[in-house]
Amino acid sequence: MTTLAEVAQVAGVTAATVSNVLRGRGKVGAETRQRVLAAVEATGYRPNLMARALVEGKPSTLALIVSSIANPFYPEFALEVERAARRLGYFLLVCNTNDDPAQERAYLDAVGGSLAQGVIVMNADFVQTDQLIALRQRGVPVVLCMWERPQEPPNLPCVSVDFYQAGVLAAEHLIKLGHRRLGAVVASDPTGNHRWRYQGFIDTVHRAGLPWTDAQVNFGHDTIDDGRNSAHGLLAACPDLTGLFVSNDLPAFGVLQAAAELGMEVPRDLSVIGVTDIQLAHQMRPALSTVAVPTAEAAGLAVDMLMSVIQSPPSAPPPMVITSPPRLVVRASTAKPRRTAS
Amino acid sequence: MTTLAEVAQVAGVTAATVSNVLRGRGKVGAETRQRVLAAVEATGYRPNLMARALVEGKPSTLALIVSSIANPFYPEFALEVERAARRLGYFLLVCNTNDDPAQERAYLDAVGGSLAQGVIVMNADFVQTDQLIALRQRGVPVVLCMWERPQEPPNLPCVSVDFYQAGVLAAEHLIKLGHRRLGAVVASDPTGNHRWRYQGFIDTVHRAGLPWTDAQVNFGHDTIDDGRNSAHGLLAACPDLTGLFVSNDLPAFGVLQAAAELGMEVPRDLSVIGVTDIQLAHQMRPALSTVAVPTAEAAGLAVDMLMSVIQSPPSAPPPMVITSPPRLVVRASTAKPRRTAS
DNA sequence: ATGAAAGCGCTAACAC
DNA sequence: GTGTTAGCGCTTTCAT
């Protein structure tokens, strides 16, 4: 592991000079620069990022905390965050907590210990918010991303997406198509992070004067299997449902499968709409209708916000920014109901 | 950002003592320890990992380089690597190169600059091997994971999986089922990293005395869309194919879709088998038959090997370890051909 | 049992 | 233009 001093010795100069040519600071003679560059090349020198981070008081790393990298949404999102981070000269540390508070604590501590200069936290609902607030008060830049309810900002900097509106759009779509017997598969508990998108959906259903009972909704987790199970339960309890709102794309895939298993054809016998528009959504058969959420935009905004939080004092009021609104994407899993509702 | 010195001052001791109690080294009076712990608690102190890495000469981070985090296989794999790394007290830096040599270089340089203590590289075929060898010679621990051909080890430490055998198993399965007109969708170029699994397949086909022409194989990329396109091309050229080998699960999903689009029913009209057994494979409809590869095992072995490489001199001959063999997993996408082959 | 001191590799003032 | 110096926050001998 070559060090600055060694390069300096080879070039016959001092460490400071090498540092200067490498970072383009200060004045260096053209001929000296050549010798230094040659020495760097010859020794295969790479600056020690730890040492640099130490003296500069901050590492060249940003952290992203996600609950489950196995859920395809997060990699897609991480990709965007990384892209934005790299543009700014940062590396991205993707921290997967597996929904485990202990792991989450460990990562947060590490970030607090300057493993990264700042941290973007997804799914703040799973995270101990007070822990995050403590972190912020200790001076660690924290931003929440994909906060689901702009109207109820948390006490932390955040990038907000109007998921309530996503629920509204989904419901409106189904209703406009002529569906009157709707159901919902929610991939969190009633107080979990999908509550707002469900609220948007249900409010719209009520506003349309459609009948609704609790038998028409099922709560579960954000997985294909849970989506499938929920759909089976729902369809067993209410066989006459013609349209299903699913609070995320992944469980929507499971719903699609459940329908097939029950001999129902989508969208002829059942319309299904998800939320998010992950890449797989358009690759499913039938291609999934969904409410697209501005993932890339949120990622970019989160990095921008992190940058500004890094520069502002911890006492400043937590900023919030809202992405552009969700967008309805109609594909092949939704259509007019076959038999008109009663 | 509290420092050791500050904690020491609060506790009325010196930094060395605080360090000692925190790391359980040296002798510390029981009562002093209490005061120190209290001070740590009061100040919310977190050790600066950069400073620690600097003095210890190595960071507490391992890096994993993958070509595309958007491909669901990598997150699954990364999860396992992280699990293994954390058990050993390391953080995992997931570096996504997007198949871009420039990004790859950047990450490799960063690792060379002690961003991480060692690096696990996937898909070595996409990576400039000479770059990796140079890295290793500069003393950076490198291990290749998922090397696809144990019989032809690279000149670097590696964890090998017998993908040739995976191709063999897939072919045998199809042939035993009675298929005689087979096709192959390969998700890399003919000299790419899927060449060996394809070789295993084709060797087995030949050994069985089955007819074969180049029209029966199509090369592409490791995506659903490419799988779909390849299948369309293949099936247009050879409409009488009854069994398709696909070199990876993701493109196999695309093949499933192409079949549906062509009005073919799987497995009645066409059998499809993939390789890897990613989680989505059993969640697809029809559930995908595939040759499972020991992902978690490979991940664990890679971390173990990295640990041993860290301790051994760079001049040592590169070790290689082979995982347990791939395993046939029969699900719903393969069956006996409907009409017997000519 | 605790403290003092050196130094990890680097950068940034400032001096020459 | 280039060198000297002083740390960044931590761990680790070595004194005391």
Side-chain angles (χ1 to χ4, degrees), chain A residues 36-88:
Chain A
V36 169
L37 258 19
V40 167
E41 183 64 28
T43 52
Y45 169 76
R46 296 289 179 283
N48 184 319
L49 300 177
M50 300 289 152
R52 182 176 286 176
L54 183 56
V55 50
E56 289 184 339
K58 57 202 181 163
S60 51
T61 320
L62 263 26
L64 173 68
I65 301 208
V66 302
S67 56
S68 162
I69 203 179
N71 180 329
F73 168 71
Y74 292 107
E76 282 178 30
F77 183 80
L79 211 56
E80 298 296 340
V81 174
E82 195 209 25
R83 203 185 302 267
R86 188 177 33 234
R87 243 196 301 270
L88 267 38

Side-chain angles (χ1 to χ4, degrees), chain B residues 94-172:
Chain B
V94 180
C95 307
N96 177 71
T97 66
N98 260 328
D99 280 326
D100 174 352
Q103 282 185 43
E104 187 187 302
R105 265 198 74 87
Y107 275 121
L108 255 19
D109 274 356
V111 173
S114 319
L115 214 212
Q117 194 177 149
V119 57
I120 296 174
V121 180
M122 304 287 294
N123 265 126
D125 275 49
F126 289 125
V127 180
Q128 327 274 30
T129 315
D130 41 338
Q131 220 177 120
L132 293 177
I133 293 182
L135 202 61
R136 176 163 189 252
Q137 280 165 348
R138 295 220 322 278
V140 180
V142 178
V143 353
L144 266 34
C145 190
M146 296 262 156
W147 180 253
E148 310 219 347
R149 177 72 167 161
Q151 288 79 3
E152 304 177 19
N155 192 22
L156 283 165
C158 72
V159 173
S160 218
V161 179
D162 193 349
F163 275 93
Y164 179 93
Q165 180 62 15
V168 170
L169 289 175
E172 284 179 355

Side-chain angles (χ1 to χ4, degrees), chain A residues 281-298:
Chain A
H282 84 266
Q283 294 169 141
M284 282 287 140
R285 289 301 173 270
L288 186 72
S289 292
T290 190
V291 179
V293 148
T295 308
E297 183 190 1

Side-chain angles (χ1 to χ4, degrees), chain B residues 203-225:
Chain B
D203 284 356
T204 308
V205 167
H206 285 141
R207 206 174 311 119
L210 262 33
W212 189 265
T213 70
D214 281 353
Q216 285 163 267
V217 59
N218 220 310
F219 296 89
H221 297 102
D222 191 9
T223 62
I224 292 183
D225 287 338

Side-chain angles (χ1 to χ4, degrees), chain A residues 44 46-47 49-50 54 69 79 82 86 91 93 96 103 107 109-110 113-114 138 228 257 283 285, chain B residues 44 46-47 49-50 54 69 79 82 86 91 93 96 103 107 109-110 113-114 138 228 257 283 285:
Chain A
R46 296 289 179 283
L49 300 177
M50 300 289 152
L54 183 56
I69 203 179
L79 211 56
E82 195 209 25
R86 188 177 33 234
F91 292 101
L93 190 59
N96 179 71
Q103 283 185 42
Y107 274 122
D109 274 355
S114 318
R138 294 220 323 277
R228 181 194 291 120
Q257 294 171 0
Q283 294 169 141
R285 289 301 173 270
Chain B
R46 296 291 179 283
L49 299 178
M50 299 289 153
L54 184 57
I69 204 181
L79 212 56
E82 194 209 25
R86 189 177 32 235
F91 293 100
L93 189 59
N96 177 71
Q103 282 185 43
Y107 275 121
D109 274 356
S114 319
R138 295 220 322 278
R228 181 195 291 119
Q257 295 172 359
Q283 295 171 138
R285 287 303 174 269

Side-chain angles (χ1 to χ4, degrees), chain A residues 288-320:
Chain A
L288 186 72
S289 292
T290 190
V291 179
V293 148
T295 308
E297 183 190 1
L301 290 174
V303 172
D304 290 348
M305 180 174 285
L306 190 53
M307 288 301 135
S308 78
V309 168
I310 284 173
Q311 278 143 14
S312 61
S315 57
M320 177 174 87

